[in-house]
Amino acid sequence: MFLIYIKNFLTKKIVNKSLSNVKLISTASKIKSVGIVFDESYFYEREALVQELVKQGIEENDIKVLVFKDKIKKNEVFDYPTFCNKDLSWTATFGKSEVLNFINENFDLLINYYDVEKIPLLLLSNESKASFKVGFSAIDKRLNHFMITTNAENYTVFIDELFKYLKILNKI
């Protein structure tokens, strides 16, 4: 238990240092591919959120999902890519191939769908190669290009606000 706190402390230092060097790059490209990072500890409506994106005109094939769980049981099987704290090394790198593939994917839009700061989620969102990042205002302001003030349970409000401003920004 004590080692987990030390690991989180060291990783948080690395994340904070890398967040201080963030350069916001604005692109005028339209949104075609979407990546979503969920924290399944607080939000279980993963499919409903994906369907809301499909209703807004995003192709379901262009949506990729990565789910974070606090703990994964030994024999637990998922139909979607999942990662946990154990997949994060002491040097703040991920060892799981699904996470590395997700980070290296050039998404037009990355939705950071979590409203509680957890070190693996912050690190993943920071290292992502996505050109436009959206998340909740409760999370570190340096992480996202655009922030929406609501809570994770109101996914319809989140999507409505997101697409309202994406139209204003001429991203869709």
Side-chain angles (χ1 to χ4, degrees):
M1 190 68 166
F2 181 70
L3 290 175
I4 293 172
Y5 290 116
I6 292 173
K7 179 179 172 184
N8 283 340
F9 176 76
L10 293 174
T11 307
K12 189 166 186 158
K13 279 182 70 173
I14 293 169
V15 169
N16 283 333
K17 187 175 182 178
S18 66
L19 280 175
S20 66
N21 298 328
V22 170
K23 294 176 184 159
L24 296 179
I25 301 168
S26 65
T27 60
S29 64
K30 302 286 185 186
I31 292 176
K32 294 181 182 98
S33 62
V34 177
I36 308 173
V37 179
F38 284 104
D39 182 2
E40 203 170 75
S41 307
Y42 299 102
F43 184 74
Y44 303 103
E45 303 292 328
R46 177 180 52 86
E47 285 299 321
L49 181 68
V50 170
Q51 291 308 314
E52 285 293 321
L53 287 170
V54 170
K55 285 181 190 176
Q56 295 291 338
I58 304 293
E59 293 290 325
E60 193 165 358
N61 298 346
D62 295 332
I63 301 171
K64 293 198 178 161
V65 175
L66 185 64
V67 177
F68 174 79
K69 289 186 71 129
D70 287 323
K71 289 187 178 185
I72 297 177
K73 296 176 183 159
K74 200 173 200 177
N75 295 326
E76 203 168 3
V77 179
F78 301 100
D79 59 342
Y80 45 87
T82 306
F83 73 106
C84 67
N85 280 323
K86 289 184 180 179
D87 297 322
L88 184 63
S89 74
W90 284 78
T91 58
T93 57
F94 291 101
K96 200 168 189 179
S97 63
E98 291 126 348
V99 178
L100 293 173
N101 291 340
F102 191 86
I103 289 172
N104 292 321
E105 183 92 23
N106 290 321
F107 294 113
D108 297 323
L109 173 66
L110 176 68
I111 299 175
N112 295 315
Y113 206 84
Y114 53 90
D115 57 358
V116 175
E117 287 189 3
K118 293 184 180 175
I119 300 304
L121 292 168
L122 294 175
L123 183 64
L124 181 126
S125 300
N126 185 41
E127 289 184 357
S128 174
K129 305 281 189 276
S131 60
F132 192 69
K133 299 176 185 178
V134 175
F136 291 96
S137 61
I139 304 301
D140 194 329
K141 309 295 185 234
R142 301 170 290 179
L143 192 62
N144 297 311
H145 298 102
F146 184 71
M147 292 155 286
I148 297 174
T149 305
T150 186
N151 56 12
E153 290 80 25
N154 295 331
Y155 64 90
T156 54
V157 172
F158 182 88
I159 295 298
D160 289 342
E161 289 295 312
L162 172 63
F163 278 88
K164 179 170 75 173
Y165 285 103
L166 287 177
K167 287 177 186 171
I168 291 171
L169 295 170
N170 203 19
K171 293 271 188 194
I172 54 173

